[in-house]
Structures are given as structure tokens and as C-alpha cells.
Amino acid sequence: NRADTTHLTMNKGRIVTRAAFDIGSGKTKMLVADVDTTLGTLAHLHLSVDASVPFKSDVLASGDARELSDGVIRRGLGVLRDLADCATRCGAVPPHAGIATDVFRGARNGEDFVSRVRREAGIDARIVSQEEEAAVGFLTAVALGGAGSGADGRRMLAWDSGGGSYQLSSLVGDDGAADAPPVVRASVGPWGSSGAWCALIERVRGLRFERQTANPVRRAEAERLVALIRDDLARTPVEPWVGELGAAPSAQIVGFGGESCIFRVVEQLSGKTVQTRDDVQVALEKMLDKSDEEIVALGIHDEYQLAVPKLCLMAAVMDHLHLGTLRYQPANGSCAGLLIYDTTMGVTKYWPEVPPPPVIDP
């Protein structure tokens, strides 16, 4: 859990204190911040918190049922009620907004759970498409120090890799009308950290997935998992714009996420925030043939049991999309993008206040 009271901007317009929730496949995140609804920026961070709730691995362990268990539902609702109470104590103006992502799109009872979140936690949560998830993710990279929403935004490729899926996003290249809101394009994939973990257990080892640790992982197993994910991704051609941005020297690839994200694992093992495919390989090899205890000793304390599958996934996606060097941007899920979404996109969707006209960089 983290608290941050950093001032992010000195120019202030209309300030509203908001709480945003990103209910993900493995982590439930909340960010409470003062939002400048005139500029579409974060003015002041009050509280940044995440909690482990293994929704995706719970559904994967249910097999053909594809359902959230009663246990994970109780845990998830309890976490969200507690976080909503914290948001209120921090002065956040209700209703709070939340997005629910991959696991809730696929679970048979995903919509029922999100309905209970609205009723019992007082969070205006909704299940979003993967394309919408990508747009919120792109705005997160912008809000936390990315390239911005003008020409720089069209040179930025934001990469969000979660427990159930991954998204890459950028601005559409056409400048359009001067007062038009930005248009975010997305390239999405069905693989996330929990899926890679399950694939290692079931498809590489031939065992039933019961959320058991993946460790120790042998070199041959890791190589097979990378090849399996890469072959699966190859069924869908790479969009030309992703290939162009991924290879462009002037492009900025920003991988964002929290303490347990794939980019953070590479940083922990290499000390690098600027990361290449070779850095991923070196980090991966440091964890091969290691027990849980040995991986924890390397500094991987969160989700150590699936740390190797995470890096196998990162390697496979970089290979498939021919991605070059990326920069890791710490972020508490996509909460920051959700906080500024309405103002930046020129809509009234997640927040009740009517937004001013969008502010677009020249």
C-alpha cells in the first residue's frame, strides 16, 4: 500500500477531489487525487493503494465453470468497501468511478459481481471493453508524465500488461479539427500474467491448474512457454501502426504498472527503468531453476509464484510486436487516466460534472 501527497501541477482551474478504482484481474487499485477539470490534469495526489485479489486465477482454477468463487467475491467486495471508506475519509466526492477489466468480461458471474460493487461499495463501477481499457491506459501514461496529447502523443506507445490481457495504445495520427477530442487507437491481446501462469502449469507441464506455484521453472519450460504464447499471438497479424511505432527511433514506448507488473519485475532484477528485450532475457534467466524462497531473496516479494511466467509473456509480446526499447512508468493501474478521462475526451461518462471543452495540445 502506498500514499503519495506529491503536487503535480501549479496551474489550477476547477479542482475536484475524486477517487478512481481499477478492478483488475489480480490487483484492485484506488487513486484519490485532486483533479483540475479545466486542464484535465492531476493537481494533487492524496492516496494510492492497491490490494491483491486474485480474480483471474480464481476463474482459471474453476475450469469449465468460468466463475468467480464465493470466496473471491467476498474478498473482493470487502476490499472495495474498505477502499471506498478510505476515499470518503480523504474527501473524495461521490460517486466514485471504477472500471472492471478482463476477468469480469469473461466470467459467467462477472456482471453480477460488478452490480454488487455498485450496490454494496457505492462505486459506480462498470465492465469496459478492451479497447476502452486501452484508452484509459493511454491517458494514464499521459497523466503520469508521458508524451502528452498532441504530436508527442502520436509518437508514444503505451503498454498495459495486466493479469488477464494486454493493451497497447497511441493517438491516431491525423491532426483533425483543432478543438476535437483525442482519438486513441488500440492493439489488444488475450494474454495476461495469470493466463501465462496457467499455460505453464497446464499446457507445458500437463497438470491441472490449482494456483500452485510455478517455481522452479526449468529453461526448457520457459522456452516452451515463450514459444507457445508467441505462436498463439502470431494468429493475429500485427497492426501496421504498431510495427511502425515499435521500430521508430523517435517513438516512446511506455510500459506502465504497479509494484507487481512485468516491467517492475525487470526493473527489480536489472535496476533499469529503460528496458530492452535483452534485459528481459537476463532477468528471466536469473529466476530459472529457483524456488519460491530463492526468488523472494532476489527481491520479488509480490506474486513471486508467477514471476517467471510474467517475463515469458513480456518476452513473447516484444518478439511478436518487434518492440524496441521501452521506459517503465510506475502507475497504480489505470486509475490516473480514469480520473482525467471525461475532461480529456470531452465527454460526460465516468464523472457527473459536465466537462469543459477538451484541451488539445497544438
Side-chain angles (χ1 to χ4, degrees), residues 251-298:
Q252 300 180 51
I253 304 174
V254 179
F256 67 92
E259 281 294 308
S260 63
C261 76
I262 58 176
F263 316 110
R264 172 62 174 150
V265 174
V266 175
E267 183 191 42
Q268 287 174 299
L269 294 174
S270 69
K272 298 179 179 180
T273 56
V274 177
Q275 302 167 2
T276 66
R277 174 64 172 82
D278 287 343
D279 293 324
V280 177
Q281 189 64 35
V282 170
L284 175 58
E285 293 187 2
K286 286 183 179 180
M287 295 191 293
L288 294 178
D289 301 315
K290 298 288 195 301
S291 66
D292 287 352
E293 292 77 14
E294 289 172 315
I295 287 182
V296 170
L298 291 173

Side-chain angles (χ1 to χ4, degrees), residues 35-256:
V35 180
D36 188 319
T37 61
T38 301
L39 298 176
T41 57
L42 304 183
H44 184 78
L45 298 184
H46 292 283
L47 182 65
S48 180
V49 183
D50 64 43
S52 294
V53 186
F55 292 113
K56 184 68 174 185
S57 61
D58 183 82
V59 170
L60 290 172
S62 75
D64 292 338
R66 292 191 297 110
E67 288 186 341
L68 298 163
S69 68
D70 291 342
V72 83
I73 287 172
R74 285 194 299 272
R75 180 173 173 181
L77 288 172
V79 164
L80 286 162
R81 282 193 294 264
D82 290 345
L83 292 180
D85 288 344
C86 287
T88 300
R89 290 196 296 272
C90 285
V93 178
H96 313 310
I99 56 171
T101 55
D102 174 83
V103 62
F104 305 101
R105 293 191 287 262
R108 295 182 190 276
N109 53 349
E111 184 58 65
D112 290 341
F113 173 79
V114 175
S115 295
R116 289 188 64 181
V117 171
R118 290 192 290 266
R119 293 195 309 269
E120 299 179 29
I123 300 167
D124 185 15
R126 64 193 73 185
I127 299 174
V128 296
S129 69
Q130 213 172 346
E131 290 72 21
E132 177 78 351
E133 185 180 356
V136 178
F138 179 82
L139 295 182
T140 294
V142 170
L144 297 178
S149 59
D152 286 344
R154 291 189 291 276
R155 291 192 295 267
M156 183 174 75
L157 187 62
W159 182 2
D160 177 12
S161 187
S165 62
Y166 73 81
Q167 296 76 228
L168 291 102
S169 52
S170 182
L171 286 185
V172 173
D174 185 7
D175 289 334
D179 60 347
V183 177
V184 178
R185 56 188 172 182
S187 175
V188 301
W191 282 90
S193 299
S194 294
W197 179 21
C198 180
L200 176 65
I201 300 298
E202 293 193 340
R203 297 171 64 180
V204 174
R205 293 179 178 165
L207 304 174
R208 175 180 171 79
F209 180 67
E210 296 176 331
R211 290 183 284 180
Q212 65 269 50
T213 182
N215 301 315
V217 180
R218 309 305 180 194
R219 179 180 299 275
E221 292 176 325
E223 291 175 348
R224 186 177 171 193
L225 180 59
V226 171
L228 185 157
I229 298 171
R230 193 168 51 218
D231 290 347
D232 186 77
L233 293 174
R235 298 177 185 177
T236 304
V238 178
E239 292 91 333
W241 65 269
V242 176
E244 292 168 7
L245 269 178
S250 62
Q252 300 180 51
I253 304 174
V254 179
F256 67 92

